[in-house]
Amino acid sequence: MTSLPEIVSADQWQADRDELLTREKELTRALDAVAARRRRLPMVEFDNERYVFDTPDGPKHLLDFFGDQQQLVVYQFMDRGPDEFCPGCTHFTNNVSDLGTLAENGVAWLTVSEMPLAQIQSYAARKGWTVPFVSSRGTTFAADCGTDGGFMLTVFLRHGDHVYRTYSTTARGVDRLLFVNNILDLAPYGRQEDWEDSPPGWPQHPTYG
């Protein structure tokens, strides 16, 4: 039988909730400070002509993916070989939504992979994804972003015909962006993964198991 949280009085529950709320507010202010620091990062130029991406609409350069926006967020979807797909990247892409609101705030979105375009398109069709996918196969784009063989979220800014990288993150930096993961972190049993610090008896399983 699955273990349950302790049952207490309403007053005790409120006291414990208020104590946790204090810590949550401290964390919120810390995240605000980190975001303010992030907005002050310098940027580095990326050579727009260096990379030719394979897209459903033919060859394109990085600058083409901005459309009418000044900012572009790129997710690098791992290439694990023919007919094999990263479960973490799949989970992340399942969480990508509301690109229209991003666009309203001046941000375009792109998912890039070193997989061949046909492989990407086939998998996206199976999963019902509508996010834009392109292939960087045969280029050094992933390596130049610092994620050769891995996954990463990278942010670019354009100024005229020049493209600059302003930010990138991977691992838990990407994890914190996911709607599902954030909601599960609020639930009593969490993500139910074996790396989590949970009370004895809580349901847990290997990540991606």
Side-chain angles (χ1 to χ4, degrees):
M1 182 176 179
T2 303
S3 297
L4 298 171
E6 180 186 2
I7 300 174
V8 297
S9 68
D11 287 345
Q12 182 60 55
W13 181 89
Q14 190 63 58
D16 288 352
R17 176 66 191 101
D18 289 346
E19 187 276 332
L20 179 60
L21 180 60
T22 298
R23 298 186 63 181
E24 289 177 335
K25 287 183 176 296
E26 291 172 352
L27 178 60
T28 297
R29 287 190 288 270
L31 289 172
D32 288 343
V34 169
R37 176 66 183 88
R38 190 180 297 116
R39 290 191 293 272
R40 288 163 174 79
L41 280 175
M43 59 187 184
V44 60
E45 187 164 9
F46 256 50
D47 184 354
N48 177 63
E49 298 299 321
R50 183 172 185 176
Y51 316 105
V52 180
F53 299 86
D54 191 10
T55 87
D57 301 316
K60 289 191 176 185
H61 292 90
L62 193 57
L63 192 62
D64 297 321
F65 302 122
F66 283 82
D68 297 330
Q69 312 302 341
Q70 191 177 6
Q71 303 163 96
L72 171 68
V73 176
V74 174
Y75 179 72
Q76 186 75 32
F77 195 113
M78 290 177 64
D79 174 17
R80 299 185 65 176
D83 301 319
E84 190 171 347
F85 302 95
C86 171
C89 292
T90 298
H91 179 54
F92 180 88
T93 305
N94 283 334
N95 276 254
V96 175
S97 64
D98 202 4
L99 300 185
T101 300
L102 280 183
E104 290 172 5
N105 288 274
V107 177
W109 177 274
L110 181 68
T111 304
V112 175
S113 180
E114 293 190 304
M115 288 185 286
L117 183 61
Q119 182 181 351
I120 298 171
Q121 289 178 307
S122 175
Y123 192 52
R126 282 166 48 192
K127 304 300 290 185
W129 292 332
T130 59
V131 297
F133 266 95
V134 304
S135 174
S136 61
R137 195 173 187 84
T139 77
T140 62
F141 179 73
D144 293 344
C145 287
T147 181
D148 196 10
F151 69 93
M152 179 174 281
L153 193 83
T154 305
V155 183
F156 296 95
L157 178 74
R158 72 169 183 167
H159 183 64
D161 292 334
H162 296 271
V163 177
Y164 302 89
R165 179 171 59 167
T166 64
Y167 179 73
S168 64
T169 189
T170 188
R172 296 301 298 276
V174 172
D175 172 273
R176 74 175 187 83
L177 306 175
L178 299 183
F179 171 79
V180 168
N181 288 9
N182 279 281
I183 294 299
L184 289 176
D185 286 343
L186 303 180
Y189 292 135
R191 304 183 197 183
Q192 302 181 37
E193 297 176 8
D194 56 12
W195 61 268
E196 291 180 288
D197 180 2
S198 295
W202 254 228
Q204 290 184 301
H205 57 72
T207 303
Y208 308 132

